[in-house]
mmCIF file of all heavy atoms in Angstrom:
data_model
loop_
_atom_site.group_PDB
_atom_site.id
_atom_site.type_symbol
_atom_site.label_atom_id
_atom_site.label_comp_id
_atom_site.label_asym_id
_atom_site.label_seq_id
_atom_site.Cartn_x
_atom_site.Cartn_y
_atom_site.Cartn_z
ATOM 1 N N LEU J 18 106.885 158.258 75.721
ATOM 2 C CA LEU J 18 107.215 159.381 74.867
ATOM 3 C C LEU J 18 105.996 159.887 74.113
ATOM 4 O O LEU J 18 105.878 161.055 73.811
ATOM 5 C CB LEU J 18 108.308 158.981 73.859
ATOM 6 C CG LEU J 18 109.680 158.669 74.490
ATOM 7 C CD1 LEU J 18 110.614 158.095 73.411
ATOM 8 C CD2 LEU J 18 110.280 159.929 75.104
ATOM 9 N N GLN J 19 105.081 158.956 73.788
ATOM 10 C CA GLN J 19 103.935 159.340 72.963
ATOM 11 C C GLN J 19 102.761 159.833 73.809
ATOM 12 O O GLN J 19 102.109 160.804 73.476
ATOM 13 C CB GLN J 19 103.472 158.156 72.112
ATOM 14 C CG GLN J 19 104.547 157.683 71.126
ATOM 15 C CD GLN J 19 104.133 156.423 70.401
ATOM 16 O OE1 GLN J 19 102.958 156.120 70.325
ATOM 17 N NE2 GLN J 19 105.097 155.702 69.881
ATOM 18 N N ASN J 20 102.484 159.083 74.897
ATOM 19 C CA ASN J 20 101.257 159.432 75.615
ATOM 20 C C ASN J 20 101.346 158.955 77.063
ATOM 21 O O ASN J 20 100.938 157.848 77.383
ATOM 22 C CB ASN J 20 100.049 158.790 74.921
ATOM 23 C CG ASN J 20 98.748 159.411 75.396
ATOM 24 O OD1 ASN J 20 98.692 159.965 76.484
ATOM 25 N ND2 ASN J 20 97.719 159.325 74.592
ATOM 26 N N LYS J 21 101.911 159.764 77.912
ATOM 27 C CA LYS J 21 102.078 159.381 79.305
ATOM 28 C C LYS J 21 100.737 159.187 80.001
ATOM 29 O O LYS J 21 100.541 158.279 80.807
ATOM 30 C CB LYS J 21 102.896 160.456 80.016
ATOM 31 C CG LYS J 21 103.135 160.149 81.490
ATOM 32 C CD LYS J 21 103.962 161.243 82.127
ATOM 33 C CE LYS J 21 104.180 160.948 83.592
ATOM 34 N NZ LYS J 21 104.966 162.015 84.247
ATOM 35 N N LYS J 22 99.779 160.036 79.682
ATOM 36 C CA LYS J 22 98.465 159.947 80.320
ATOM 37 C C LYS J 22 97.774 158.630 80.007
ATOM 38 O O LYS J 22 97.145 158.009 80.864
ATOM 39 C CB LYS J 22 97.600 161.116 79.864
ATOM 40 C CG LYS J 22 96.255 161.173 80.587
ATOM 41 C CD LYS J 22 95.465 162.393 80.157
ATOM 42 C CE LYS J 22 94.130 162.452 80.889
ATOM 43 N NZ LYS J 22 93.335 163.646 80.500
ATOM 44 N N GLN J 23 97.916 158.150 78.750
ATOM 45 C CA GLN J 23 97.290 156.886 78.348
ATOM 46 C C GLN J 23 97.880 155.716 79.141
ATOM 47 O O GLN J 23 97.170 154.811 79.563
ATOM 48 C CB GLN J 23 97.487 156.665 76.847
ATOM 49 C CG GLN J 23 96.833 155.381 76.350
ATOM 50 C CD GLN J 23 97.051 155.179 74.867
ATOM 51 O OE1 GLN J 23 97.556 156.070 74.180
ATOM 52 N NE2 GLN J 23 96.681 154.019 74.385
ATOM 53 N N ILE J 24 99.201 155.768 79.347
ATOM 54 C CA ILE J 24 99.852 154.702 80.123
ATOM 55 C C ILE J 24 99.291 154.667 81.542
ATOM 56 O O ILE J 24 98.963 153.615 82.081
ATOM 57 C CB ILE J 24 101.370 154.924 80.169
ATOM 58 C CG1 ILE J 24 101.975 154.761 78.773
ATOM 59 C CG2 ILE J 24 102.027 153.947 81.145
ATOM 60 C CD1 ILE J 24 103.454 155.044 78.720
ATOM 61 N N GLU J 25 99.185 155.851 82.169
ATOM 62 C CA GLU J 25 98.698 155.902 83.541
ATOM 63 C C GLU J 25 97.284 155.341 83.648
ATOM 64 O O GLU J 25 96.939 154.650 84.609
ATOM 65 C CB GLU J 25 98.735 157.350 84.038
ATOM 66 C CG GLU J 25 100.153 157.880 84.235
ATOM 67 C CD GLU J 25 100.168 159.343 84.610
ATOM 68 O OE1 GLU J 25 99.096 159.991 84.475
ATOM 69 O OE2 GLU J 25 101.224 159.841 85.020
ATOM 70 N N GLN J 26 96.434 155.621 82.649
ATOM 71 C CA GLN J 26 95.069 155.107 82.672
ATOM 72 C C GLN J 26 95.046 153.582 82.559
ATOM 73 O O GLN J 26 94.291 152.895 83.254
ATOM 74 C CB GLN J 26 94.256 155.743 81.533
ATOM 75 C CG GLN J 26 93.964 157.212 81.757
ATOM 76 C CD GLN J 26 93.279 157.854 80.563
ATOM 77 O OE1 GLN J 26 93.254 157.286 79.457
ATOM 78 N NE2 GLN J 26 92.727 159.046 80.763
ATOM 79 N N GLU J 27 95.886 153.069 81.665
ATOM 80 C CA GLU J 27 95.927 151.618 81.487
ATOM 81 C C GLU J 27 96.429 150.922 82.757
ATOM 82 O O GLU J 27 95.899 149.887 83.171
ATOM 83 C CB GLU J 27 96.821 151.270 80.302
ATOM 84 C CG GLU J 27 96.214 151.655 78.961
ATOM 85 C CD GLU J 27 97.134 151.299 77.809
ATOM 86 O OE1 GLU J 27 98.251 150.804 78.091
ATOM 87 O OE2 GLU J 27 96.751 151.507 76.644
ATOM 88 N N LEU J 28 97.483 151.516 83.366
ATOM 89 C CA LEU J 28 98.009 150.924 84.585
ATOM 90 C C LEU J 28 96.979 150.959 85.709
ATOM 91 O O LEU J 28 96.829 150.004 86.477
ATOM 92 C CB LEU J 28 99.276 151.652 85.019
ATOM 93 C CG LEU J 28 100.490 151.512 84.093
ATOM 94 C CD1 LEU J 28 101.655 152.339 84.628
ATOM 95 C CD2 LEU J 28 100.906 150.062 83.955
ATOM 96 N N SER J 29 96.227 152.041 85.838
ATOM 97 C CA SER J 29 95.203 152.147 86.882
ATOM 98 C C SER J 29 94.121 151.102 86.691
ATOM 99 O O SER J 29 93.633 150.499 87.656
ATOM 100 C CB SER J 29 94.586 153.555 86.872
ATOM 101 O OG SER J 29 95.553 154.524 87.200
ATOM 102 N N ALA J 30 93.716 150.876 85.441
ATOM 103 C CA ALA J 30 92.681 149.882 85.163
ATOM 104 C C ALA J 30 93.149 148.476 85.543
ATOM 105 O O ALA J 30 92.393 147.683 86.114
ATOM 106 C CB ALA J 30 92.294 149.940 83.688
ATOM 107 N N LEU J 31 94.417 148.178 85.185
ATOM 108 C CA LEU J 31 94.936 146.861 85.515
ATOM 109 C C LEU J 31 95.124 146.696 87.027
ATOM 110 O O LEU J 31 94.909 145.621 87.581
ATOM 111 C CB LEU J 31 96.270 146.638 84.797
ATOM 112 C CG LEU J 31 96.149 146.400 83.285
ATOM 113 C CD1 LEU J 31 97.533 146.369 82.660
ATOM 114 C CD2 LEU J 31 95.415 145.104 83.015
ATOM 115 N N GLU J 32 95.542 147.771 87.708
ATOM 116 C CA GLU J 32 95.648 147.724 89.163
ATOM 117 C C GLU J 32 94.310 147.412 89.807
ATOM 118 O O GLU J 32 94.195 146.604 90.729
ATOM 119 C CB GLU J 32 96.170 149.061 89.692
ATOM 120 C CG GLU J 32 97.658 149.114 89.843
ATOM 121 C CD GLU J 32 98.097 150.383 90.561
ATOM 122 O OE1 GLU J 32 97.218 151.188 90.937
ATOM 123 O OE2 GLU J 32 99.298 150.558 90.736
ATOM 124 N N LEU J 33 93.258 148.064 89.305
ATOM 125 C CA LEU J 33 91.921 147.829 89.848
ATOM 126 C C LEU J 33 91.475 146.397 89.599
ATOM 127 O O LEU J 33 90.887 145.752 90.471
ATOM 128 C CB LEU J 33 90.929 148.815 89.213
ATOM 129 C CG LEU J 33 89.477 148.693 89.687
ATOM 130 C CD1 LEU J 33 89.403 148.963 91.186
ATOM 131 C CD2 LEU J 33 88.585 149.670 88.922
ATOM 132 N N ALA J 34 91.765 145.870 88.405
ATOM 133 C CA ALA J 34 91.397 144.484 88.098
ATOM 134 C C ALA J 34 92.107 143.511 89.030
ATOM 135 O O ALA J 34 91.510 142.543 89.522
ATOM 136 C CB ALA J 34 91.734 144.167 86.637
ATOM 137 N N ALA J 35 93.395 143.772 89.278
ATOM 138 C CA ALA J 35 94.144 142.900 90.179
ATOM 139 C C ALA J 35 93.591 142.967 91.594
ATOM 140 O O ALA J 35 93.463 141.959 92.284
ATOM 141 C CB ALA J 35 95.617 143.289 90.167
ATOM 142 N N LYS J 36 93.242 144.195 92.040
ATOM 143 C CA LYS J 36 92.699 144.343 93.395
ATOM 144 C C LYS J 36 91.356 143.626 93.521
ATOM 145 O O LYS J 36 91.089 142.949 94.519
ATOM 146 C CB LYS J 36 92.535 145.825 93.718
ATOM 147 C CG LYS J 36 92.016 146.083 95.137
ATOM 148 C CD LYS J 36 91.877 147.568 95.401
ATOM 149 C CE LYS J 36 91.445 147.807 96.847
ATOM 150 N NZ LYS J 36 90.173 147.154 97.159
ATOM 151 N N ASN J 37 90.510 143.768 92.490
ATOM 152 C CA ASN J 37 89.208 143.096 92.543
ATOM 153 C C ASN J 37 89.366 141.588 92.592
ATOM 154 O O ASN J 37 88.625 140.886 93.283
ATOM 155 C CB ASN J 37 88.359 143.496 91.332
ATOM 156 C CG ASN J 37 87.899 144.936 91.407
ATOM 157 O OD1 ASN J 37 87.870 145.537 92.494
ATOM 158 N ND2 ASN J 37 87.535 145.511 90.262
ATOM 159 N N GLU J 38 90.350 141.091 91.826
ATOM 160 C CA GLU J 38 90.574 139.642 91.825
ATOM 161 C C GLU J 38 91.059 139.175 93.190
ATOM 162 O O GLU J 38 90.626 138.145 93.715
ATOM 163 C CB GLU J 38 91.599 139.276 90.743
ATOM 164 C CG GLU J 38 91.925 137.798 90.671
ATOM 165 C CD GLU J 38 90.720 136.953 90.335
ATOM 166 O OE1 GLU J 38 89.776 137.488 89.705
ATOM 167 O OE2 GLU J 38 90.705 135.761 90.705
ATOM 168 N N LEU J 39 91.954 139.957 93.803
ATOM 169 C CA LEU J 39 92.443 139.595 95.126
ATOM 170 C C LEU J 39 91.316 139.641 96.152
ATOM 171 O O LEU J 39 91.202 138.767 97.011
ATOM 172 C CB LEU J 39 93.573 140.541 95.533
ATOM 173 C CG LEU J 39 94.232 140.240 96.884
ATOM 174 C CD1 LEU J 39 94.871 138.867 96.870
ATOM 175 C CD2 LEU J 39 95.240 141.311 97.224
ATOM 176 N N ASP J 40 90.450 140.657 96.045
ATOM 177 C CA ASP J 40 89.314 140.753 96.968
ATOM 178 C C ASP J 40 88.401 139.551 96.820
ATOM 179 O O ASP J 40 87.868 139.035 97.803
ATOM 180 C CB ASP J 40 88.533 142.040 96.714
ATOM 181 C CG ASP J 40 89.306 143.275 97.160
ATOM 182 O OD1 ASP J 40 90.270 143.116 97.932
ATOM 183 O OD2 ASP J 40 88.942 144.390 96.723
ATOM 184 N N ARG J 41 88.209 139.105 95.563
ATOM 185 C CA ARG J 41 87.345 137.949 95.340
ATOM 186 C C ARG J 41 87.944 136.689 95.961
ATOM 187 O O ARG J 41 87.262 135.901 96.614
ATOM 188 C CB ARG J 41 87.137 137.720 93.840
ATOM 189 C CG ARG J 41 86.172 136.584 93.535
ATOM 190 C CD ARG J 41 86.131 136.301 92.047
ATOM 191 N NE ARG J 41 87.367 135.704 91.575
ATOM 192 C CZ ARG J 41 87.653 134.418 91.721
ATOM 193 N NH1 ARG J 41 86.831 133.607 92.346
ATOM 194 N NH2 ARG J 41 88.794 133.931 91.261
ATOM 195 N N VAL J 42 89.250 136.516 95.779
ATOM 196 C CA VAL J 42 89.920 135.357 96.360
ATOM 197 C C VAL J 42 89.849 135.405 97.881
ATOM 198 O O VAL J 42 89.511 134.431 98.549
ATOM 199 C CB VAL J 42 91.388 135.294 95.894
ATOM 200 C CG1 VAL J 42 92.133 134.188 96.629
ATOM 201 C CG2 VAL J 42 91.442 135.067 94.389
ATOM 202 N N ASN J 43 90.143 136.584 98.433
ATOM 203 C CA ASN J 43 90.137 136.703 99.887
ATOM 204 C C ASN J 43 88.749 136.520 100.475
ATOM 205 O O ASN J 43 88.590 136.064 101.601
ATOM 206 C CB ASN J 43 90.697 138.062 100.307
ATOM 207 C CG ASN J 43 92.192 138.167 100.039
ATOM 208 O OD1 ASN J 43 92.860 137.149 99.908
ATOM 209 N ND2 ASN J 43 92.692 139.380 99.943
ATOM 210 N N ALA J 44 87.717 136.895 99.708
ATOM 211 C CA ALA J 44 86.345 136.723 100.193
ATOM 212 C C ALA J 44 86.005 135.256 100.361
ATOM 213 O O ALA J 44 85.134 134.892 101.148
ATOM 214 C CB ALA J 44 85.369 137.389 99.224
ATOM 215 N N ASP J 45 86.662 134.390 99.606
ATOM 216 C CA ASP J 45 86.404 132.960 99.699
ATOM 217 C C ASP J 45 87.116 132.333 100.894
ATOM 218 O O ASP J 45 86.797 131.225 101.293
ATOM 219 C CB ASP J 45 86.864 132.255 98.414
ATOM 220 C CG ASP J 45 85.901 132.528 97.263
ATOM 221 O OD1 ASP J 45 84.751 132.888 97.543
ATOM 222 O OD2 ASP J 45 86.329 132.394 96.105
ATOM 223 N N TYR J 46 88.093 133.017 101.457
ATOM 224 C CA TYR J 46 88.843 132.477 102.583
ATOM 225 C C TYR J 46 88.864 133.515 103.702
ATOM 226 O O TYR J 46 89.695 134.409 103.723
ATOM 227 C CB TYR J 46 90.269 132.110 102.159
ATOM 228 C CG TYR J 46 90.303 131.064 101.082
ATOM 229 C CD1 TYR J 46 90.470 131.419 99.753
ATOM 230 C CD2 TYR J 46 90.134 129.721 101.391
ATOM 231 C CE1 TYR J 46 90.492 130.451 98.761
ATOM 232 C CE2 TYR J 46 90.147 128.752 100.399
ATOM 233 C CZ TYR J 46 90.325 129.129 99.093
ATOM 234 O OH TYR J 46 90.337 128.176 98.109
ATOM 235 N N ILE J 47 87.913 133.359 104.622
ATOM 236 C CA ILE J 47 87.751 134.289 105.723
ATOM 237 C C ILE J 47 88.368 133.665 106.973
ATOM 238 O O ILE J 47 88.329 132.448 107.156
ATOM 239 C CB ILE J 47 86.257 134.590 105.950
ATOM 240 C CG1 ILE J 47 85.642 135.173 104.675
ATOM 241 C CG2 ILE J 47 86.048 135.531 107.121
ATOM 242 C CD1 ILE J 47 84.147 135.297 104.733
ATOM 243 N N LYS J 48 88.906 134.494 107.832
ATOM 244 C CA LYS J 48 89.424 133.979 109.088
ATOM 245 C C LYS J 48 88.309 133.295 109.860
ATOM 246 O O LYS J 48 87.228 133.842 110.019
ATOM 247 C CB LYS J 48 90.031 135.111 109.912
ATOM 248 C CG LYS J 48 90.622 134.636 111.233
ATOM 249 C CD LYS J 48 91.203 135.792 112.021
ATOM 250 C CE LYS J 48 91.770 135.295 113.351
ATOM 251 N NZ LYS J 48 92.328 136.400 114.162
ATOM 252 N N TYR J 49 88.584 132.098 110.349
ATOM 253 C CA TYR J 49 87.562 131.324 111.046
ATOM 254 C C TYR J 49 87.141 132.040 112.327
ATOM 255 O O TYR J 49 87.972 132.457 113.132
ATOM 256 C CB TYR J 49 88.086 129.928 111.376
ATOM 257 C CG TYR J 49 87.054 129.039 112.001
ATOM 258 C CD1 TYR J 49 85.981 128.573 111.247
ATOM 259 C CD2 TYR J 49 87.118 128.690 113.340
ATOM 260 C CE1 TYR J 49 85.006 127.767 111.820
ATOM 261 C CE2 TYR J 49 86.158 127.883 113.915
ATOM 262 C CZ TYR J 49 85.102 127.431 113.149
ATOM 263 O OH TYR J 49 84.137 126.646 113.725
ATOM 264 N N ASP J 50 85.820 132.186 112.513
ATOM 265 C CA ASP J 50 85.298 132.976 113.634
ATOM 266 C C ASP J 50 84.407 132.153 114.561
ATOM 267 O O ASP J 50 83.428 132.663 115.106
ATOM 268 C CB ASP J 50 84.536 134.194 113.117
ATOM 269 C CG ASP J 50 83.334 133.807 112.255
ATOM 270 O OD1 ASP J 50 83.100 132.595 112.053
ATOM 271 O OD2 ASP J 50 82.622 134.717 111.795
#
């Protein structure tokens, strides 16, 4: 009700943090080649 744009920015930042963390975890476990 107060600030829809602020919510969207916060959610995007947290989404990016989660994606970066997942990428870091996945980088440690690569399919054996």
Side-chain angles (χ1 to χ4, degrees):
L18 293 172
Q19 298 174 21
N20 195 337
K21 180 179 179 181
K22 185 177 180 179
Q23 181 181 352
I24 294 177
E25 291 175 347
Q26 290 174 345
E27 289 180 357
L28 293 178
S29 296
L31 287 173
E32 268 188 1
L33 180 61
K36 182 180 184 301
N37 290 339
E38 179 62 25
L39 183 62
D40 289 343
R41 184 187 70 80
V42 173
N43 290 339
D45 286 339
Y46 299 99
I47 302 171
K48 181 180 179 181
Y49 184 70
D50 61 0

